[in-house]
Amino acid sequence: MGCGVINAGKSQHNEDQACCEVVFVERRPSPRGRLMSREGCGELDGGRKGFYFHYWALFDGHAGSGAAVMASEKLHVHICEQLRDLVDILQDPSPPPICLPHGPGDPTRVSVAEDDGEVPNDAVPRFHLEKAVSHESLVIGAIENAFKHMDDQIERERGAQHLAGGCCALAAIYLMGKFYVANAGDSRAIIIRNGEIIPMSREFTPETERQRLQFLALLRPELLGKEFTHLEFPRRIQPKELGKKMLYRDQNMNGWAYKKIEEDDLKFPLIYGEGKKARMMATIGVTRGLGDHDLKVFSSNIHIKPFLSCFPEVRVYDLTQYEHCPDDVLVLGTDGLWDVTNDKEVAGVVMEVLTSYEPNDPCRYTMVAQELVVRSRGVLKERGWRLANDKLGSGDDISVFVIPLGGPGNYT
Amino acid sequence: MGCGVINAGKSQHNEDQACCEVVFVERRPSPRGRLMSREGCGELDGGRKGFYFHYWALFDGHAGSGAAVMASEKLHVHICEQLRDLVDILQDPSPPPICLPHGPGDPTRVSVAEDDGEVPNDAVPRFHLEKAVSHESLVIGAIENAFKHMDDQIERERGAQHLAGGCCALAAIYLMGKFYVANAGDSRAIIIRNGEIIPMSREFTPETERQRLQFLALLRPELLGKEFTHLEFPRRIQPKELGKKMLYRDQNMNGWAYKKIEEDDLKFPLIYGEGKKARMMATIGVTRGLGDHDLKVFSSNIHIKPFLSCFPEVRVYDLTQYEHCPDDVLVLGTDGLWDVTNDKEVAGVVMEVLTSYEPNDPCRYTMVAQELVVRSRGVLKERGWRLANDKLGSGDDISVFVIPLGGPGNYT
């Protein structure tokens, strides 16, 4: 595995944070009544019962590094906590139970669920309609809820710990033969397999999440504080344009249409700008992530957080479905990387660097990551950081993980 | 172009409706002041100014055919109305104006916009931030708003005209070199090009729109009328299961997790069931379409309409980007077709039938459409309608359009 991180000057300190861990998920001790009978089993089993997961994550902080630092220290702990209740279920090849006789790891309930003479859950005749739920979707649910718990922890502890700002979070979890890539923000993950590019995330920005944000603003107009309109316009409207017709789109539209400009349309649009300059409420350029609980619109009392989501989109890649060679990798990068390069160029660098090292050289993935960040920062010239094509570098922090998918001895 | 329609017995009458038209979009007469000066131009131009579009649409009715019949008679008229304001703009290769000096076709305003000495709009210095809007996105916006106007008309006239029920709507519009495929419901469109399948729509059902519906229910709980919970569970919960842990997912989740069952979870889930049996509020299996203004949950006063959307998703296919042969087609089908067959099988039938006719035989597309509906209905045996593989046919109405993309003299 290779990692590269660079601060390219936009902020004084690097607001990107990274974390890479192997985490043991130990089955939660059963409630008191069950604990006694199981402890013996534990010893017969030869010790702790559980499994490992591999974990890599990038946190791109904004308005301070506090949230990013805490998330880098704790997100994997929350994922582990969520998975602890699932240790037995994930290791059992039969479909997960829809209903558990009593809460796993719930210390308020002892093992009396079957005491009233009910037949155990799995002997009950199947319900007429019952949705099948896969093991995979339990892991996805665990990761989703771990992000929520992480965000809650930042909210609780931000006062005492001076946790400023917020962060985008991109995490890759390798568990039981599958990669789970969870993204909340504008970082990006791709798999490069035999030269082919497989996107493993999408970006969450005011532009990509426009309809969700407009829908919320329409249903909860008080969140806009009389300063904003939920409609989008291609540019600011001037008061003297009242009564003219201007292009707009609302929460239902992907296309544009003309509407007659009314008084309310003179408010600032909820979503405004394009590409890297797109902002929600003229304040923030990403719409998912952790933290930002105190973020407000400049010189106002309007909170941003209700519009942000801390939930990631989780994509799954099954490593067992394909035979991977040592040149197949998963690349995670913060937006500092993707602002100045694209999937294809990254794949080119990956292949160029990997082929210049021996396949069993342990340094080759690190060299790829280093090369990616160095090329994306560029070279400091009189006119600022310049890329190879003399374009201006992004100036943003750049963090990259390069994770091999194949080769000898991986994840076993 | 070929068309096939069959009633396979689920309802007494065929609730599917179809429409195929070539529509002339005439520029709306200018307001009084401009009309006089332009009329001379009109004559010099040789008559009416405007353009044609080709139009095919399928309407799959439910709970009566009234909405489907009206939509089949009027949707293209609404699309035409929306496009009338855009005649000059779409024919002008320069980017559409962001702001119009005064409303096009707005009879309440005469041409006095420039009378106050302002410089004309396009001579004003460009704004610092101005989003580029394409001609294509104006057509998309026009189609989106036409669906909305169609739905409004059904609502207004449903009392007088006894328009029962609602309908899914799938429309294909060919305009200035591009196909616009607009879908609201569970019909489906695919392009078959040189044997390759290009999806041109996606289905809108309680399952695919779960998160939108749950989000709305969370923000507007009064719409659930104390009967439903916005959470999804894999099966009904029994009162005696209170306090146990059950799998659930909410508006933020794609995965599943366990939660302790509380009193509120005993309500019926907003989204329930799987595949063709998935229902919203135990009532309806599609979540977009026209009509349904009076639809309520059985023996309750809970309205379904607030959860339904009449807005289509519009996908665009640029016919000029590829040289098409006479075997390349766009297939539109109601769910009666897709319930018993899939994209690949449809492509197989298309190629099999087309190659059995001469390329310039005008009947060949009709024969494909007929073959698709006949095979999907199956053959009536003692045990009901049976398909070639002896599986039960869907029994639903089946309607299909097969529209050639290439060949001599198309759309010129």
Side-chain angles (χ1 to χ4, degrees):
Chain A
M1 188 270 302
C3 175
V5 176
I6 261 180
N7 171 254
K10 195 176 83 170
S11 53
Q12 194 181 356
H13 300 289
N14 194 338
E15 293 181 341
D16 278 7
Q17 296 291 324
C19 179
C20 165
E21 294 274 351
V22 178
V23 182
F24 182 71
V25 183
E26 186 177 1
R27 187 173 65 188
R28 202 182 296 283
S30 306
R32 192 165 42 88
R34 318 192 90 196
L35 188 64
M36 292 168 64
S37 61
R38 288 287 171 90
E39 271 184 340
C41 285
E43 278 172 22
L44 284 177
D45 289 353
R48 302 189 306 167
K49 192 167 180 187
F51 51 73
Y52 287 91
F53 69 86
H54 295 243
Y55 169 87
W56 303 258
L58 298 176
F59 303 91
D60 182 352
H62 49 252
S65 60
V69 169
M70 185 178 207
S72 70
E73 290 167 353
K74 296 288 188 204
L75 180 59
H76 57 285
V77 180
H78 284 288
I79 294 172
C80 179
E81 275 302 304
Q82 294 295 313
L83 290 172
R84 286 186 72 185
D85 291 330
L86 304 174
V87 166
D88 290 335
I89 294 168
L90 292 179
Q91 290 181 325
D92 182 346
S94 57
I98 299 298
C99 185
L100 300 175
H102 54 84
D106 177 354
T108 64
R109 292 180 64 89
V110 287
S111 169
V112 295
E114 264 72 71
D115 288 0
D116 55 359
E118 279 185 57
V119 274
N121 181 61
D122 49 13
V124 171
R126 304 294 280 183
F127 285 77
H128 175 60
L129 248 171
E130 182 171 297
K131 208 158 189 162
V133 172
S134 65
H135 289 91
E136 184 179 299
S137 66
L138 290 192
V139 178
I140 294 172
I143 295 169
E144 289 170 332
N145 279 330
F147 272 65
K148 173 67 178 147
H149 282 94
M150 184 70 247
D151 196 53
D152 290 345
Q153 188 185 5
I154 294 173
E155 182 174 21
R156 280 195 311 273
E157 300 182 11
R158 73 191 194 282
Q161 303 216 19
H162 308 291
L163 297 175
C167 65
C168 296
L170 170 61
I173 293 105
Y174 175 78
L175 176 64
M176 297 177 180
K178 291 176 180 173
F179 268 98
Y180 297 82
V181 179
N183 186 43
D186 64 354
S187 297
R188 186 166 168 75
I190 61 171
I191 280 175
I192 301 159
R193 187 183 73 189
N194 197 19
E196 183 196 356
I197 293 159
I198 304 166
M200 288 303 294
S201 68
R202 63 185 165 114
E203 290 79 63
F204 295 97
T205 67
E207 289 193 301
T208 65
E209 294 218 275
R210 174 181 58 83
Q211 288 178 288
R212 172 177 78 78
L213 303 169
Q214 288 183 315
F215 189 44
L216 174 59
L218 181 76
L219 293 174
R220 287 276 167 85
E222 69 274 16
L223 296 177
L224 299 176
K226 295 181 184 169
E227 298 289 324
F228 295 91
T229 165
H230 77 285
L231 297 180
E232 186 188 12
F233 299 100
R235 64 160 169 80
R236 284 307 306 276
I237 302 174
Q238 301 168 292
K240 65 175 178 186
E241 291 175 312
L242 211 69
K244 294 186 182 182
K245 291 213 170 184
M246 183 167 253
L247 288 171
Y248 82 102
R249 53 182 176 175
D250 66 19
Q251 70 287 346
N252 293 310
M253 300 169 70
N254 272 305
W256 295 84
Y258 292 99
K259 85 179 286 290
K260 189 187 278 189
I261 300 171
E262 295 162 45
E263 195 68 38
D264 209 55
D265 302 327
L266 299 179
K267 294 175 181 172
F268 202 91
L270 173 67
I271 309 297
Y272 185 59
E274 196 163 16
K276 288 304 286 183
K277 287 182 176 148
R279 290 285 178 277
M280 190 185 56
M281 291 176 150
T283 305
I284 190 166
V286 290
T287 52
R288 298 210 190 184
L290 304 167
D292 287 320
H293 297 90
D294 298 314
L295 188 62
K296 291 180 182 179
V297 175
F298 180 69
S299 78
S300 87
N301 206 28
I302 302 170
H303 283 269
I304 299 288
K305 187 69 175 175
F307 290 92
L308 303 179
S309 169
C310 64
F311 279 84
E313 183 192 64
V314 182
R315 297 198 184 180
V316 184
Y317 182 82
D318 189 343
L319 214 62
T320 65
Q321 294 296 300
Y322 192 92
E323 195 148 324
H324 294 87
C325 74
D327 289 1
D328 297 336
V329 293
L330 168 63
V331 178
L332 312 181
T334 53
D335 67 330
L337 175 70
W338 306 105
D339 287 350
V340 295
T341 187
N342 59 35
D343 294 358
K344 215 173 151 188
E345 289 170 353
V346 167
V349 173
V350 167
M351 286 188 283
E352 179 192 325
V353 177
L354 285 182
T355 50
S356 68
Y357 288 84
E358 290 294 317
N360 53 3
D361 186 331
C363 295
R364 60 204 295 265
Y365 304 106
T366 303
M367 297 317 293
V368 173
Q370 291 292 335
E371 188 68 23
L372 283 171
V373 296
V374 167
R375 284 201 203 183
S376 302
R377 181 191 51 177
V379 176
L380 188 56
K381 298 189 177 172
E382 280 177 29
R383 297 157 299 124
W385 292 94
R386 294 279 159 177
L387 307 179
N389 56 14
D390 204 46
K391 281 190 183 158
L392 206 59
S394 76
D396 199 0
D397 298 328
I398 302 167
S399 301
V400 174
F401 272 123
V402 178
I403 303 161
L405 301 180
N410 267 309
Y411 321 120
T412 49
Chain B
M1 190 269 302
C3 177
V5 177
I6 262 181
N7 173 254
K10 194 176 82 170
S11 53
Q12 193 182 358
H13 300 288
N14 194 337
E15 292 181 341
D16 278 7
Q17 296 291 324
C19 178
C20 165
E21 294 274 351
V22 178
V23 182
F24 182 71
V25 183
E26 187 177 1
R27 185 173 65 188
R28 201 182 298 282
S30 306
R32 193 165 43 87
R34 316 191 90 197
L35 188 65
M36 294 168 64
S37 62
R38 289 284 172 91
E39 272 185 337
C41 285
E43 278 171 22
L44 283 176
D45 290 350
R48 302 189 304 167
K49 192 166 180 187
F51 52 73
Y52 287 92
F53 69 85
H54 294 243
Y55 170 88
W56 303 259
L58 298 176
F59 303 91
D60 183 352
H62 50 252
S65 60
V69 169
M70 185 178 208
S72 71
E73 290 168 353
K74 296 289 188 201
L75 179 60
H76 57 286
V77 179
H78 284 288
I79 294 172
C80 180
E81 275 302 303
Q82 293 296 313
L83 290 171
R84 286 186 72 185
D85 291 331
L86 304 175
V87 166
D88 290 335
I89 293 168
L90 293 179
Q91 290 181 325
D92 181 346
S94 56
I98 299 298
C99 185
L100 301 175
H102 54 83
D106 178 354
T108 63
R109 292 180 64 89
V110 287
S111 168
V112 293
E114 265 70 73
D115 288 1
D116 57 358
E118 279 185 57
V119 275
N121 181 61
D122 48 14
V124 171
R126 305 294 279 185
F127 285 77
H128 176 59
L129 248 172
E130 183 172 297
K131 208 157 187 163
V133 172
S134 65
H135 289 91
E136 185 179 298
S137 66
L138 290 192
V139 177
I140 294 171
I143 295 169
E144 289 171 331
N145 279 330
F147 272 65
K148 173 67 179 147
H149 282 95
M150 183 71 247
D151 196 53
D152 291 345
Q153 188 185 4
I154 294 173
E155 181 174 20
R156 280 195 311 273
E157 301 181 12
R158 73 190 195 283
Q161 303 217 18
H162 307 292
L163 298 175
C167 64
C168 296
L170 171 62
I173 293 107
Y174 175 79
L175 175 64
M176 296 177 180
K178 291 176 180 172
F179 268 97
Y180 297 83
V181 179
N183 186 44
D186 64 354
S187 296
R188 184 166 169 76
I190 60 170
I191 280 175
I192 301 158
R193 187 183 72 188
N194 197 19
E196 183 196 357
I197 292 158
I198 305 166
M200 288 303 293
S201 69
R202 63 185 165 115
E203 290 80 63
F204 296 97
T205 68
E207 287 193 301
T208 65
E209 294 218 275
R210 174 182 57 83
Q211 288 178 288
R212 174 178 75 79
L213 303 170
Q214 289 183 313
F215 189 44
L216 174 58
L218 181 77
L219 293 174
R220 288 275 166 85
E222 68 275 14
L223 296 176
L224 298 176
K226 295 180 184 169
E227 299 290 324
F228 295 91
T229 164
H230 78 285
L231 297 180
E232 185 188 12
F233 298 101
R235 65 160 168 81
R236 284 309 305 278
I237 301 174
Q238 301 169 293
K240 65 176 177 184
E241 292 175 313
L242 212 68
K244 294 187 183 182
K245 291 213 168 183
M246 182 167 252
L247 288 170
Y248 82 102
R249 52 183 177 177
D250 66 18
Q251 69 287 343
N252 293 311
M253 298 168 72
N254 272 305
W256 294 84
Y258 291 99
K259 84 182 284 289
K260 189 187 279 188
I261 300 171
E262 296 162 44
E263 195 68 40
D264 208 55
D265 302 328
L266 298 178
K267 295 176 181 172
F268 202 90
L270 173 67
I271 309 296
Y272 185 59
E274 193 161 21
K276 288 305 285 182
K277 287 183 175 149
R279 290 285 177 278
M280 191 186 57
M281 290 175 149
T283 304
I284 190 166
V286 290
T287 51
R288 298 210 189 183
L290 305 167
D292 288 319
H293 297 90
D294 298 314
L295 188 62
K296 291 179 183 181
V297 175
F298 180 69
S299 80
S300 88
N301 206 27
I302 302 170
H303 284 270
I304 300 287
K305 187 69 175 175
F307 290 92
L308 303 178
S309 169
C310 64
F311 279 84
E313 183 192 64
V314 182
R315 296 196 184 182
V316 184
Y317 182 81
D318 189 344
L319 214 61
T320 65
Q321 294 296 301
Y322 193 90
E323 196 149 321
H324 294 87
C325 75
D327 289 0
D328 296 337
V329 294
L330 168 63
V331 177
L332 313 182
T334 54
D335 66 330
L337 174 70
W338 306 104
D339 287 350
V340 295
T341 186
N342 58 36
D343 295 357
K344 215 172 150 187
E345 289 169 354
V346 166
V349 173
V350 166
M351 286 188 283
E352 178 191 327
V353 177
L354 285 182
T355 50
S356 69
Y357 289 84
E358 290 293 318
N360 52 5
D361 186 331
C363 295
R364 61 204 295 262
Y365 304 106
T366 303
M367 298 316 294
V368 173
Q370 292 292 335
E371 188 69 21
L372 283 172
V373 295
V374 167
R375 285 201 202 183
S376 302
R377 182 192 50 176
V379 177
L380 188 57
K381 299 189 179 173
E382 280 176 30
R383 297 158 299 122
W385 292 95
R386 293 279 159 177
L387 307 179
N389 56 14
D390 204 47
K391 280 193 183 155
L392 206 59
S394 77
D396 199 1
D397 299 329
I398 303 168
S399 301
V400 174
F401 272 123
V402 178
I403 304 161
L405 301 179
N410 267 309
Y411 320 118
T412 49

